[in-house]
Amino acid sequence: MQKPALRACTAVLAATVCLAVGAAGFANGAEQLTVTLAEAVRTAQSRYPGARVASLQVERAQNIQRQAEQTRILPGIGLEAQTGLVPAARGDIFGSPDDADEIANLGPYYRFGIGFSQPIFTFGKISSAIDMARGAVSVQEEDRLRQANRIGLAAAEAYWSIVATDAGREVVEELKGMYDDFVGRVRSQVDDPASSTDAADLYEAESLEFAVEQRYREVYDQGDVARRGLQILMDTDPARAVDVVAQTPPELGLQRSDLDGLVAYALERDPAVRAAREAVKLAEAAVRLADSRSRPDLLFRGGLQWGHAGNRT
């Protein structure tokens, strides 16, 4: 009768074989994509949907800035068209067959007009609106950079997870082979009447072998999860397997004395901190704009209108 530990080991090995066969079929379904660390980060930063949304937000803010800046030099232009019915007004001021207070002999009329308005002095309204628009662009650009850094960091984490699990697979596979040989020797000693090895020793060896099998499966699962995560970040075809070109992790060589410099560098370069500074400027411009709205505007206005009513001569 097969022991529980051996049944568990058999089940794990069977599942491992099935998953390995399934993974091989998955990889053969489409050409494998192999990327370096730089390619993974660059692709994720350009193709991940969150990065594209952040870029569109920047373009929207830039369009608003251009509109605000154009207000300073370009006049506002408006077109007008009217139509309706009016009572007749014939003759002249000295004599007319129509009464001024009657509503009779209604006839159609139409009128067209074009007008423009050019600001001369707005007491800070336009300049404050431009400052707000520029501040919004700066905030959105910093947010886009923050999103790019976050996505790039996630892609780098997935990349290094794949590298680490690939290396871990080699170690665990070697360890698994060693325990397979060890369990085989223990099993042969149990069957040897001259040996002092008993069933308890075999059970302990098989338990250790099962633990190695579990770790073996965990390493494979971690690698599969990391590869799937990198696929999502790079926005690639799910049917296309992703692999990486292994690189040696960089050596930072940081000392405790470098901490203050790192903190100062982070505060100066971190997009979230810079976005907060720009948000303060944006709020100050909003206060100036609200204050300027209590003051009058000096405008130069003009226009041209033309109309016609057939029952008025």
Side-chain angles (χ1 to χ4, degrees), residues 165-307:
T165 52
D166 287 347
R169 286 178 182 180
E170 298 178 0
V171 175
V172 175
E173 286 175 356
E174 182 179 357
L175 184 62
K176 179 178 176 297
M178 294 171 57
Y179 266 93
D180 289 342
D181 294 340
F182 173 70
V183 172
R185 291 197 301 269
V186 172
R187 189 176 289 112
S188 63
Q189 291 177 4
V190 170
D191 297 334
D192 185 3
S195 175
S196 60
T197 304
D198 55 14
D201 296 327
L202 177 60
Y203 178 78
E204 183 178 358
E206 290 175 342
S207 298
L208 294 174
E209 184 184 32
F210 179 69
V212 173
E213 292 281 359
Q214 283 184 315
R215 185 54 185 161
Y216 180 78
R217 186 63 258 158
E218 288 174 1
V219 169
Y220 269 85
D221 289 342
Q222 290 171 0
D224 293 341
V225 170
R227 281 179 168 82
R228 181 55 184 152
L230 190 58
Q231 277 183 325
I232 294 174
L233 289 169
M234 295 174 60
D235 196 22
T236 60
D237 184 0
R240 190 177 188 184
V242 174
D243 201 2
V244 299
V245 178
Q247 297 178 221
T248 303
E251 296 182 3
L252 298 178
L254 297 176
Q255 303 295 328
R256 187 176 182 83
S257 58
D258 300 327
L259 181 60
D260 293 339
L262 286 175
V263 171
Y265 180 82
L267 291 176
E268 178 65 26
R269 300 295 300 274
D270 183 64
V273 176
R274 293 192 295 190
R277 296 194 186 104
E278 296 298 333
V280 172
K281 297 178 182 178
L282 180 62
E284 292 174 348
V287 171
R288 292 195 300 272
L289 179 61
D291 181 64
S292 65
R293 286 175 177 170
S294 62
R295 304 186 182 97
D297 294 334
L298 297 180
L299 306 174
F300 177 73
R301 290 181 175 174
L304 176 66
Q305 291 188 346
W306 180 82

Side-chain angles (χ1 to χ4, degrees), residues 3-277:
K3 294 185 178 181
L6 292 178
R7 288 198 300 270
C9 291
T10 303
V12 171
L13 287 174
T16 301
V17 172
C18 292
L19 288 172
V21 172
F26 174 82
N28 292 330
E31 182 182 357
Q32 180 172 280
L33 176 63
T34 303
V35 296
T36 63
L37 174 60
E39 291 171 343
V41 172
R42 183 170 57 253
T43 304
Q45 288 178 335
S46 62
R47 301 186 61 180
Y48 187 69
R52 296 199 294 269
V53 170
S55 297
L56 292 175
Q57 292 290 349
V58 172
E59 292 182 10
R60 175 179 176 273
Q62 289 173 341
N63 289 334
I64 296 175
Q65 176 186 343
R66 282 192 294 269
Q67 294 173 8
E69 292 173 343
Q70 291 171 358
T71 305
R72 188 190 297 274
I73 57 176
L74 296 180
I77 299 176
L79 298 176
E80 179 186 10
Q82 294 182 1
T83 186
L85 297 174
V86 294
R90 293 165 292 178
D92 52 34
I93 60 174
F94 300 104
S96 174
D98 302 309
D99 295 331
D101 58 351
E102 71 175 354
I103 302 178
N105 300 320
L106 295 176
Y109 83 96
Y110 52 87
R111 182 172 62 189
F112 301 96
I114 181 172
F116 68 91
S117 176
Q118 175 64 53
I120 299 176
F121 191 73
T122 60
F123 294 93
K125 289 186 180 66
I126 294 179
S127 60
S128 298
I130 293 175
D131 290 341
M132 282 189 60
R134 290 172 177 172
V137 171
S138 298
V139 171
Q140 292 298 334
E141 286 178 343
E142 295 298 338
D143 183 68
R144 177 177 61 179
L145 182 58
R146 181 176 61 85
Q147 291 280 3
N149 289 346
R150 182 179 63 84
I151 295 169
L153 179 60
E157 289 178 349
Y159 170 88
W160 289 118
S161 295
I162 295 172
V163 173
T165 52
D166 287 347
R169 286 178 182 180
E170 298 178 0
V171 175
V172 175
E173 286 175 356
E174 182 179 357
L175 184 62
K176 179 178 176 297
M178 294 171 57
Y179 266 93
D180 289 342
D181 294 340
F182 173 70
V183 172
R185 291 197 301 269
V186 172
R187 189 176 289 112
S188 63
Q189 291 177 4
V190 170
D191 297 334
D192 185 3
S195 175
S196 60
T197 304
D198 55 14
D201 296 327
L202 177 60
Y203 178 78
E204 183 178 358
E206 290 175 342
S207 298
L208 294 174
E209 184 184 32
F210 179 69
V212 173
E213 292 281 359
Q214 283 184 315
R215 185 54 185 161
Y216 180 78
R217 186 63 258 158
E218 288 174 1
V219 169
Y220 269 85
D221 289 342
Q222 290 171 0
D224 293 341
V225 170
R227 281 179 168 82
R228 181 55 184 152
L230 190 58
Q231 277 183 325
I232 294 174
L233 289 169
M234 295 174 60
D235 196 22
T236 60
D237 184 0
R240 190 177 188 184
V242 174
D243 201 2
V244 299
V245 178
Q247 297 178 221
T248 303
E251 296 182 3
L252 298 178
L254 297 176
Q255 303 295 328
R256 187 176 182 83
S257 58
D258 300 327
L259 181 60
D260 293 339
L262 286 175
V263 171
Y265 180 82
L267 291 176
E268 178 65 26
R269 300 295 300 274
D270 183 64
V273 176
R274 293 192 295 190
R277 296 194 186 104

